[in-house]
Amino acid sequence: MAIKVRKVRCPQCGGEALWSMENKYRPFCSERCKQIDLGAWASEAYRVPVQEKTLELDDDYLSKAE
Ligand SMILES: [Zn+2]
């Protein structure tokens, strides 16, 4: 019996990635592409709390000014 392996497009490099149990980095084609994507996500996540803190300080400042 033939085992069909699905191929998907790697979101990171746009190359071919195998969608199978052997490819634990799916949907990425390799560990390198997965690490790059996780790194980009982490740096985005770090920016959000900083912005929220700034907004809180602004609200506090405005309520005291009234
Ligand atoms: Zn890739």
Short mmCIF file of all heavy atoms in Angstrom, two decimals:
data_model
loop_
_atom_site.label_atom_id
_atom_site.label_comp_id
_atom_site.label_asym_id
_atom_site.label_seq_id
_atom_site.Cartn_x
_atom_site.Cartn_y
_atom_site.Cartn_z
N MET A 1 0.84 -1.20 0.00
CA MET A 1 0.00 0.00 0.00
C MET A 1 0.87 1.24 0.00
O MET A 1 1.93 1.27 0.60
CB MET A 1 -0.95 -0.02 1.21
CG MET A 1 -0.34 0.42 2.52
SD MET A 1 -1.48 0.16 3.89
CE MET A 1 -1.10 1.59 4.89
N ALA A 2 0.39 2.23 -0.68
CA ALA A 2 1.18 3.45 -0.82
C ALA A 2 0.81 4.46 0.26
O ALA A 2 -0.36 4.67 0.55
CB ALA A 2 0.96 4.05 -2.19
N ILE A 3 1.82 5.04 0.85
CA ILE A 3 1.58 6.07 1.85
C ILE A 3 1.81 7.42 1.21
O ILE A 3 2.90 7.72 0.76
CB ILE A 3 2.52 5.89 3.06
CG1 ILE A 3 2.25 4.54 3.72
CG2 ILE A 3 2.31 7.04 4.06
CD1 ILE A 3 3.23 4.23 4.83
N LYS A 4 0.75 8.18 1.16
CA LYS A 4 0.88 9.51 0.56
C LYS A 4 1.33 10.51 1.61
O LYS A 4 0.76 10.57 2.70
CB LYS A 4 -0.46 9.96 -0.02
CG LYS A 4 -0.77 9.32 -1.36
CD LYS A 4 -2.03 9.94 -1.95
CE LYS A 4 -2.35 9.29 -3.31
NZ LYS A 4 -3.60 9.82 -3.87
N VAL A 5 2.34 11.26 1.29
CA VAL A 5 2.83 12.30 2.18
C VAL A 5 2.41 13.65 1.63
O VAL A 5 2.77 14.01 0.51
CB VAL A 5 4.36 12.24 2.33
CG1 VAL A 5 4.83 13.36 3.25
CG2 VAL A 5 4.79 10.90 2.87
N ARG A 6 1.65 14.35 2.40
CA ARG A 6 1.22 15.68 1.95
C ARG A 6 2.36 16.67 2.02
O ARG A 6 3.18 16.62 2.93
CB ARG A 6 0.07 16.19 2.84
CG ARG A 6 -1.28 15.70 2.39
CD ARG A 6 -2.34 16.20 3.32
NE ARG A 6 -2.40 17.66 3.36
CZ ARG A 6 -3.08 18.35 4.29
NH1 ARG A 6 -3.70 17.71 5.23
NH2 ARG A 6 -3.12 19.65 4.25
N LYS A 7 2.38 17.54 1.06
CA LYS A 7 3.39 18.59 1.08
C LYS A 7 2.70 19.94 1.26
O LYS A 7 1.67 20.21 0.65
CB LYS A 7 4.19 18.59 -0.24
CG LYS A 7 5.15 17.42 -0.31
CD LYS A 7 5.89 17.41 -1.63
CE LYS A 7 6.82 16.20 -1.70
NZ LYS A 7 7.45 16.08 -3.02
N VAL A 8 3.25 20.73 2.12
CA VAL A 8 2.69 22.06 2.36
C VAL A 8 3.78 23.10 2.11
O VAL A 8 4.96 22.78 2.05
CB VAL A 8 2.16 22.19 3.81
CG1 VAL A 8 0.98 21.26 4.02
CG2 VAL A 8 3.25 21.93 4.81
N ARG A 9 3.36 24.34 2.00
CA ARG A 9 4.33 25.40 1.79
C ARG A 9 4.80 25.93 3.13
O ARG A 9 4.00 26.29 3.99
CB ARG A 9 3.67 26.53 0.97
CG ARG A 9 4.66 27.54 0.47
CD ARG A 9 4.00 28.45 -0.55
NE ARG A 9 3.74 27.76 -1.81
CZ ARG A 9 4.63 27.66 -2.80
NH1 ARG A 9 5.81 28.20 -2.67
NH2 ARG A 9 4.33 27.02 -3.89
N CYS A 10 6.10 25.97 3.30
CA CYS A 10 6.67 26.46 4.55
C CYS A 10 6.33 27.95 4.70
O CYS A 10 6.63 28.75 3.82
CB CYS A 10 8.18 26.26 4.54
SG CYS A 10 9.02 27.01 5.94
N PRO A 11 5.69 28.34 5.82
CA PRO A 11 5.31 29.74 6.01
C PRO A 11 6.50 30.68 6.12
O PRO A 11 6.38 31.89 5.94
CB PRO A 11 4.53 29.73 7.33
CG PRO A 11 4.26 28.31 7.64
CD PRO A 11 5.31 27.51 6.95
N GLN A 12 7.65 30.14 6.45
CA GLN A 12 8.83 30.97 6.67
C GLN A 12 9.62 31.23 5.40
O GLN A 12 9.86 32.36 5.04
CB GLN A 12 9.72 30.31 7.73
CG GLN A 12 10.85 31.19 8.17
CD GLN A 12 10.37 32.54 8.67
OE1 GLN A 12 10.74 33.58 8.16
NE2 GLN A 12 9.51 32.52 9.67
N CYS A 13 10.00 30.18 4.70
CA CYS A 13 10.85 30.35 3.53
C CYS A 13 10.09 30.11 2.23
O CYS A 13 10.61 30.39 1.16
CB CYS A 13 12.06 29.43 3.62
SG CYS A 13 11.67 27.68 3.40
N GLY A 14 8.86 29.62 2.30
CA GLY A 14 8.07 29.39 1.10
C GLY A 14 8.46 28.13 0.36
O GLY A 14 7.95 27.86 -0.71
N GLY A 15 9.33 27.36 0.95
CA GLY A 15 9.76 26.12 0.31
C GLY A 15 8.82 24.97 0.63
O GLY A 15 7.81 25.15 1.32
N GLU A 16 9.16 23.82 0.12
CA GLU A 16 8.32 22.65 0.33
C GLU A 16 8.59 22.05 1.69
O GLU A 16 9.73 21.83 2.08
CB GLU A 16 8.62 21.62 -0.76
CG GLU A 16 7.40 21.23 -1.55
CD GLU A 16 7.75 20.24 -2.65
OE1 GLU A 16 8.67 19.44 -2.46
OE2 GLU A 16 7.10 20.31 -3.71
N ALA A 17 7.53 21.77 2.43
CA ALA A 17 7.67 21.11 3.71
C ALA A 17 6.81 19.87 3.72
O ALA A 17 5.69 19.89 3.22
CB ALA A 17 7.25 22.05 4.83
N LEU A 18 7.31 18.79 4.26
CA LEU A 18 6.55 17.55 4.31
C LEU A 18 5.62 17.54 5.52
O LEU A 18 6.04 17.85 6.64
CB LEU A 18 7.50 16.34 4.40
CG LEU A 18 8.41 16.11 3.20
CD1 LEU A 18 9.28 14.88 3.44
CD2 LEU A 18 7.61 15.94 1.93
N TRP A 19 4.36 17.28 5.28
CA TRP A 19 3.40 17.20 6.38
C TRP A 19 3.28 15.73 6.77
O TRP A 19 2.45 15.00 6.26
CB TRP A 19 2.05 17.77 5.93
CG TRP A 19 1.08 17.90 7.05
CD1 TRP A 19 0.26 16.92 7.55
CD2 TRP A 19 0.82 19.07 7.83
NE1 TRP A 19 -0.48 17.42 8.58
CE2 TRP A 19 -0.17 18.73 8.78
CE3 TRP A 19 1.33 20.37 7.83
CZ2 TRP A 19 -0.65 19.65 9.71
CZ3 TRP A 19 0.84 21.28 8.75
CH2 TRP A 19 -0.14 20.92 9.67
N SER A 20 4.15 15.30 7.66
CA SER A 20 4.13 13.90 8.06
C SER A 20 4.60 13.79 9.50
O SER A 20 5.12 14.75 10.08
CB SER A 20 5.06 13.07 7.16
OG SER A 20 6.40 13.42 7.41
N MET A 21 4.44 12.62 10.07
CA MET A 21 4.86 12.41 11.45
C MET A 21 6.36 12.60 11.61
O MET A 21 6.85 12.96 12.67
CB MET A 21 4.48 11.00 11.90
CG MET A 21 2.97 10.78 11.98
SD MET A 21 2.15 11.87 13.18
CE MET A 21 2.74 11.14 14.71
N GLU A 22 7.09 12.35 10.53
CA GLU A 22 8.55 12.46 10.62
C GLU A 22 9.00 13.91 10.68
O GLU A 22 10.06 14.21 11.21
CB GLU A 22 9.19 11.76 9.41
CG GLU A 22 9.11 10.26 9.53
CD GLU A 22 9.63 9.57 8.28
OE1 GLU A 22 10.51 10.13 7.61
OE2 GLU A 22 9.15 8.48 7.97
N ASN A 23 8.19 14.80 10.12
CA ASN A 23 8.56 16.21 10.15
C ASN A 23 7.94 16.86 11.38
O ASN A 23 6.80 17.31 11.37
CB ASN A 23 8.08 16.90 8.87
CG ASN A 23 8.47 18.38 8.86
OD1 ASN A 23 9.25 18.82 9.70
ND2 ASN A 23 7.92 19.13 7.94
N LYS A 24 8.70 16.92 12.46
CA LYS A 24 8.15 17.47 13.70
C LYS A 24 8.16 19.00 13.69
O LYS A 24 7.70 19.63 14.63
CB LYS A 24 8.92 16.95 14.91
CG LYS A 24 10.41 17.17 14.84
CD LYS A 24 11.09 16.49 16.04
CE LYS A 24 12.60 16.57 15.93
NZ LYS A 24 13.28 15.86 17.03
N TYR A 25 8.67 19.57 12.63
CA TYR A 25 8.70 21.03 12.54
C TYR A 25 7.57 21.56 11.67
O TYR A 25 7.51 22.75 11.40
CB TYR A 25 10.04 21.50 11.97
CG TYR A 25 11.21 20.89 12.70
CD1 TYR A 25 12.09 20.05 12.04
CD2 TYR A 25 11.40 21.15 14.04
CE1 TYR A 25 13.16 19.47 12.71
CE2 TYR A 25 12.45 20.58 14.72
CZ TYR A 25 13.33 19.74 14.05
OH TYR A 25 14.37 19.17 14.72
N ARG A 26 6.68 20.66 11.20
CA ARG A 26 5.59 21.10 10.35
C ARG A 26 4.76 22.18 11.03
O ARG A 26 4.63 22.13 12.25
CB ARG A 26 4.72 19.90 9.97
CG ARG A 26 4.02 19.24 11.14
CD ARG A 26 3.31 17.98 10.66
NE ARG A 26 2.52 17.38 11.72
CZ ARG A 26 3.00 16.53 12.63
NH1 ARG A 26 4.25 16.17 12.58
NH2 ARG A 26 2.22 16.06 13.57
N PRO A 27 4.21 23.15 10.37
CA PRO A 27 4.21 23.24 8.91
C PRO A 27 5.50 23.81 8.32
O PRO A 27 5.53 24.12 7.14
CB PRO A 27 3.04 24.19 8.65
CG PRO A 27 3.07 25.13 9.81
CD PRO A 27 3.51 24.27 10.98
N PHE A 28 6.52 23.95 9.12
CA PHE A 28 7.78 24.47 8.60
C PHE A 28 8.59 23.33 8.01
O PHE A 28 8.39 22.17 8.34
CB PHE A 28 8.57 25.16 9.71
CG PHE A 28 7.80 26.26 10.37
CD1 PHE A 28 7.13 26.03 11.55
CD2 PHE A 28 7.71 27.50 9.79
CE1 PHE A 28 6.39 27.04 12.16
CE2 PHE A 28 6.98 28.52 10.38
CZ PHE A 28 6.33 28.29 11.57
N CYS A 29 9.56 23.68 7.17
CA CYS A 29 10.33 22.65 6.47
C CYS A 29 11.49 22.18 7.33
O CYS A 29 12.02 21.11 7.12
CB CYS A 29 10.82 23.19 5.13
SG CYS A 29 12.05 24.51 5.27
N SER A 30 11.90 22.98 8.30
CA SER A 30 13.07 22.61 9.08
C SER A 30 13.03 23.29 10.44
O SER A 30 12.22 24.20 10.68
CB SER A 30 14.35 23.02 8.34
OG SER A 30 14.39 24.43 8.24
N GLU A 31 13.91 22.87 11.31
CA GLU A 31 13.98 23.47 12.64
C GLU A 31 14.35 24.95 12.55
O GLU A 31 13.87 25.79 13.29
CB GLU A 31 15.03 22.73 13.47
CG GLU A 31 15.13 23.29 14.90
CD GLU A 31 16.14 22.51 15.73
OE1 GLU A 31 16.94 21.75 15.16
OE2 GLU A 31 16.11 22.68 16.95
N ARG A 32 15.22 25.28 11.58
CA ARG A 32 15.66 26.66 11.42
C ARG A 32 14.49 27.59 11.13
O ARG A 32 14.34 28.63 11.74
CB ARG A 32 16.69 26.74 10.27
CG ARG A 32 17.44 28.04 10.23
CD ARG A 32 18.48 27.99 9.12
NE ARG A 32 17.85 27.90 7.81
CZ ARG A 32 17.62 28.97 7.04
NH1 ARG A 32 17.97 30.16 7.45
NH2 ARG A 32 17.04 28.82 5.89
N CYS A 33 13.61 27.18 10.21
CA CYS A 33 12.47 28.02 9.86
C CYS A 33 11.52 28.17 11.04
O CYS A 33 10.95 29.23 11.27
CB CYS A 33 11.73 27.43 8.66
SG CYS A 33 12.59 27.73 7.11
N LYS A 34 11.34 27.12 11.81
CA LYS A 34 10.45 27.19 12.96
C LYS A 34 11.01 28.13 14.02
O LYS A 34 10.29 28.92 14.62
CB LYS A 34 10.27 25.79 13.57
CG LYS A 34 9.24 25.77 14.68
CD LYS A 34 8.98 24.37 15.16
CE LYS A 34 7.85 24.38 16.18
NZ LYS A 34 7.49 23.03 16.63
N GLN A 35 12.32 28.08 14.23
CA GLN A 35 12.95 28.95 15.22
C GLN A 35 12.83 30.41 14.82
O GLN A 35 12.60 31.28 15.65
CB GLN A 35 14.42 28.57 15.40
CG GLN A 35 14.63 27.22 16.05
CD GLN A 35 14.07 27.15 17.46
OE1 GLN A 35 14.11 28.12 18.19
NE2 GLN A 35 13.52 26.01 17.82
N ILE A 36 12.99 30.70 13.54
CA ILE A 36 12.87 32.08 13.07
C ILE A 36 11.48 32.61 13.35
O ILE A 36 11.28 33.73 13.82
CB ILE A 36 13.19 32.15 11.56
CG1 ILE A 36 14.66 31.84 11.32
CG2 ILE A 36 12.83 33.53 11.00
CD1 ILE A 36 15.01 31.68 9.85
N ASP A 37 10.46 31.78 13.07
CA ASP A 37 9.08 32.21 13.26
C ASP A 37 8.78 32.43 14.73
O ASP A 37 8.15 33.41 15.12
CB ASP A 37 8.14 31.14 12.69
CG ASP A 37 6.73 31.67 12.57
OD1 ASP A 37 6.51 32.52 11.70
OD2 ASP A 37 5.87 31.26 13.35
N LEU A 38 9.24 31.54 15.59
CA LEU A 38 9.01 31.68 17.03
C LEU A 38 9.71 32.92 17.56
O LEU A 38 9.20 33.63 18.41
CB LEU A 38 9.51 30.44 17.77
CG LEU A 38 8.65 29.19 17.60
CD1 LEU A 38 9.31 28.01 18.30
CD2 LEU A 38 7.26 29.40 18.17
N GLY A 39 10.89 33.20 17.04
CA GLY A 39 11.65 34.37 17.47
C GLY A 39 10.92 35.65 17.10
O GLY A 39 10.85 36.59 17.88
N ALA A 40 10.34 35.69 15.91
CA ALA A 40 9.61 36.87 15.47
C ALA A 40 8.37 37.07 16.33
O ALA A 40 8.03 38.18 16.71
CB ALA A 40 9.21 36.71 14.00
N TRP A 41 7.70 35.99 16.67
CA TRP A 41 6.50 36.07 17.49
C TRP A 41 6.85 36.57 18.90
O TRP A 41 6.16 37.39 19.48
CB TRP A 41 5.84 34.69 17.57
CG TRP A 41 4.52 34.74 18.25
CD1 TRP A 41 3.31 34.99 17.68
CD2 TRP A 41 4.26 34.53 19.65
NE1 TRP A 41 2.33 34.95 18.64
CE2 TRP A 41 2.88 34.67 19.84
CE3 TRP A 41 5.07 34.24 20.75
CZ2 TRP A 41 2.29 34.53 21.11
CZ3 TRP A 41 4.49 34.11 22.01
CH2 TRP A 41 3.12 34.25 22.17
N ALA A 42 7.96 36.08 19.44
CA ALA A 42 8.36 36.46 20.80
C ALA A 42 8.70 37.94 20.88
O ALA A 42 8.34 38.62 21.83
CB ALA A 42 9.55 35.61 21.24
N SER A 43 9.38 38.46 19.88
CA SER A 43 9.75 39.87 19.91
C SER A 43 8.50 40.74 19.77
O SER A 43 8.43 41.83 20.34
CB SER A 43 10.75 40.19 18.80
OG SER A 43 10.23 39.84 17.54
N GLU A 44 7.50 40.29 19.05
CA GLU A 44 6.23 41.03 18.96
C GLU A 44 5.56 41.02 20.33
O GLU A 44 5.03 42.02 20.78
CB GLU A 44 5.30 40.37 17.94
CG GLU A 44 5.71 40.61 16.50
CD GLU A 44 5.48 42.05 16.06
OE1 GLU A 44 4.47 42.63 16.50
OE2 GLU A 44 6.29 42.57 15.31
N ALA A 45 5.57 39.88 21.00
CA ALA A 45 4.88 39.74 22.28
C ALA A 45 5.52 40.63 23.34
O ALA A 45 4.85 41.11 24.24
CB ALA A 45 4.93 38.28 22.73
N TYR A 46 6.82 40.85 23.22
CA TYR A 46 7.49 41.67 24.22
C TYR A 46 7.07 43.14 24.12
O TYR A 46 7.09 43.87 25.08
CB TYR A 46 9.01 41.58 24.05
CG TYR A 46 9.60 40.42 24.80
CD1 TYR A 46 10.27 39.40 24.14
CD2 TYR A 46 9.49 40.35 26.18
CE1 TYR A 46 10.80 38.33 24.83
CE2 TYR A 46 10.03 39.28 26.88
CZ TYR A 46 10.68 38.28 26.20
OH TYR A 46 11.21 37.23 26.87
N ARG A 47 6.70 43.57 22.91
CA ARG A 47 6.37 44.98 22.73
C ARG A 47 5.02 45.34 23.34
O ARG A 47 4.82 46.44 23.79
CB ARG A 47 6.32 45.30 21.23
CG ARG A 47 7.70 45.59 20.66
CD ARG A 47 7.61 45.93 19.19
NE ARG A 47 8.67 45.27 18.45
CZ ARG A 47 8.54 44.83 17.21
NH1 ARG A 47 7.42 44.97 16.58
NH2 ARG A 47 9.54 44.25 16.61
N VAL A 48 4.08 44.39 23.36
CA VAL A 48 2.72 44.69 23.79
C VAL A 48 2.63 45.16 25.25
O VAL A 48 2.03 46.19 25.51
CB VAL A 48 1.80 43.48 23.54
CG1 VAL A 48 0.40 43.76 24.07
CG2 VAL A 48 1.75 43.17 22.05
N PRO A 49 3.24 44.45 26.20
CA PRO A 49 3.15 44.89 27.61
C PRO A 49 3.71 46.29 27.81
O PRO A 49 3.20 47.04 28.64
CB PRO A 49 3.98 43.85 28.36
CG PRO A 49 4.00 42.66 27.48
CD PRO A 49 3.99 43.21 26.07
N VAL A 50 4.73 46.66 27.07
CA VAL A 50 5.32 47.99 27.21
C VAL A 50 4.31 49.06 26.81
O VAL A 50 4.14 50.06 27.49
CB VAL A 50 6.60 48.10 26.34
CG1 VAL A 50 7.14 49.53 26.37
CG2 VAL A 50 7.65 47.12 26.84
N GLN A 51 3.59 48.80 25.71
CA GLN A 51 2.60 49.77 25.25
C GLN A 51 1.46 49.89 26.26
O GLN A 51 0.97 50.96 26.53
CB GLN A 51 2.05 49.34 23.90
CG GLN A 51 3.07 49.57 22.77
CD GLN A 51 2.55 49.05 21.44
OE1 GLN A 51 1.56 48.34 21.39
NE2 GLN A 51 3.24 49.41 20.38
N GLU A 52 1.03 48.74 26.82
CA GLU A 52 -0.08 48.77 27.78
C GLU A 52 0.30 49.56 29.03
O GLU A 52 -0.49 50.31 29.57
CB GLU A 52 -0.46 47.35 28.16
CG GLU A 52 -1.28 46.67 27.07
CD GLU A 52 -1.61 45.24 27.44
OE1 GLU A 52 -1.14 44.78 28.48
OE2 GLU A 52 -2.34 44.60 26.68
N LYS A 53 1.54 49.40 29.45
CA LYS A 53 1.99 50.11 30.64
C LYS A 53 1.98 51.62 30.40
O LYS A 53 1.59 52.40 31.26
CB LYS A 53 3.40 49.64 31.00
CG LYS A 53 3.76 49.88 32.45
CD LYS A 53 5.02 49.12 32.82
CE LYS A 53 5.28 49.20 34.31
NZ LYS A 53 6.45 48.42 34.70
N THR A 54 2.38 52.02 29.22
CA THR A 54 2.39 53.43 28.88
C THR A 54 0.98 54.01 28.90
O THR A 54 0.75 55.10 29.41
CB THR A 54 3.01 53.64 27.48
OG1 THR A 54 4.29 53.03 27.46
CG2 THR A 54 3.16 55.12 27.16
N LEU A 55 0.02 53.24 28.38
CA LEU A 55 -1.36 53.71 28.36
C LEU A 55 -1.90 53.85 29.78
O LEU A 55 -2.61 54.80 30.09
CB LEU A 55 -2.23 52.73 27.57
CG LEU A 55 -2.04 52.80 26.05
CD1 LEU A 55 -2.83 51.69 25.38
CD2 LEU A 55 -2.49 54.15 25.51
N GLU A 56 -1.55 52.92 30.65
CA GLU A 56 -2.02 52.99 32.03
C GLU A 56 -1.48 54.24 32.71
O GLU A 56 -2.19 54.92 33.44
CB GLU A 56 -1.57 51.75 32.80
CG GLU A 56 -2.47 50.56 32.52
CD GLU A 56 -1.92 49.30 33.18
OE1 GLU A 56 -1.12 49.43 34.12
OE2 GLU A 56 -2.27 48.20 32.74
N LEU A 57 -0.24 54.54 32.46
CA LEU A 57 0.35 55.73 33.05
C LEU A 57 -0.35 57.00 32.54
O LEU A 57 -0.59 57.94 33.28
CB LEU A 57 1.84 55.79 32.73
CG LEU A 57 2.69 54.79 33.51
CD1 LEU A 57 4.12 54.80 32.98
CD2 LEU A 57 2.69 55.12 35.00
N ASP A 58 -0.71 56.98 31.26
CA ASP A 58 -1.39 58.14 30.69
C ASP A 58 -2.76 58.34 31.33
O ASP A 58 -3.16 59.45 31.65
CB ASP A 58 -1.56 57.95 29.17
CG ASP A 58 -0.23 58.18 28.45
OD1 ASP A 58 0.69 58.70 29.10
OD2 ASP A 58 -0.14 57.84 27.27
N ASP A 59 -3.49 57.23 31.54
CA ASP A 59 -4.80 57.33 32.16
C ASP A 59 -4.69 57.90 33.57
O ASP A 59 -5.45 58.76 33.99
CB ASP A 59 -5.46 55.94 32.24
CG ASP A 59 -6.06 55.54 30.89
OD1 ASP A 59 -6.20 56.43 30.04
OD2 ASP A 59 -6.38 54.36 30.73
N ASP A 60 -3.71 57.41 34.30
CA ASP A 60 -3.52 57.86 35.67
C ASP A 60 -3.18 59.36 35.70
O ASP A 60 -3.68 60.11 36.51
CB ASP A 60 -2.37 57.04 36.29
CG ASP A 60 -2.38 57.17 37.80
OD1 ASP A 60 -3.48 57.14 38.37
OD2 ASP A 60 -1.30 57.31 38.38
N TYR A 61 -2.39 59.76 34.77
CA TYR A 61 -1.98 61.17 34.70
C TYR A 61 -3.19 62.06 34.39
O TYR A 61 -3.39 63.11 35.01
CB TYR A 61 -0.92 61.32 33.60
CG TYR A 61 -0.52 62.75 33.36
CD1 TYR A 61 0.37 63.41 34.22
CD2 TYR A 61 -1.04 63.46 32.29
CE1 TYR A 61 0.72 64.72 34.01
CE2 TYR A 61 -0.69 64.77 32.06
CZ TYR A 61 0.18 65.40 32.91
OH TYR A 61 0.53 66.71 32.71
N LEU A 62 -4.04 61.59 33.46
CA LEU A 62 -5.20 62.39 33.07
C LEU A 62 -6.21 62.52 34.21
O LEU A 62 -6.78 63.57 34.44
CB LEU A 62 -5.87 61.75 31.84
CG LEU A 62 -5.10 61.94 30.53
CD1 LEU A 62 -5.75 61.11 29.43
CD2 LEU A 62 -5.06 63.41 30.11
N SER A 63 -6.43 61.44 34.97
CA SER A 63 -7.43 61.50 36.03
C SER A 63 -6.96 62.41 37.17
O SER A 63 -7.75 63.08 37.82
CB SER A 63 -7.71 60.09 36.55
OG SER A 63 -6.51 59.51 37.02
N LYS A 64 -5.67 62.47 37.36
CA LYS A 64 -5.15 63.37 38.39
C LYS A 64 -5.23 64.83 37.95
O LYS A 64 -5.38 65.74 38.74
CB LYS A 64 -3.70 63.00 38.72
CG LYS A 64 -3.60 61.84 39.68
CD LYS A 64 -2.15 61.49 39.95
CE LYS A 64 -2.07 60.26 40.83
NZ LYS A 64 -0.73 59.74 40.91
N ALA A 65 -5.15 65.04 36.63
CA ALA A 65 -5.16 66.40 36.10
C ALA A 65 -6.55 67.01 36.18
O ALA A 65 -6.69 68.22 36.20
CB ALA A 65 -4.67 66.37 34.65
N GLU A 66 -7.60 66.18 36.24
CA GLU A 66 -8.95 66.74 36.22
C GLU A 66 -9.37 67.38 37.50
O GLU A 66 -9.16 67.15 38.56
CB GLU A 66 -9.95 65.61 35.89
CG GLU A 66 -10.01 65.37 34.39
CD GLU A 66 -10.97 64.21 34.08
OE1 GLU A 66 -11.86 63.94 34.89
OE2 GLU A 66 -10.79 63.61 33.03
ZN ZN B 1 11.33 26.68 5.46
#
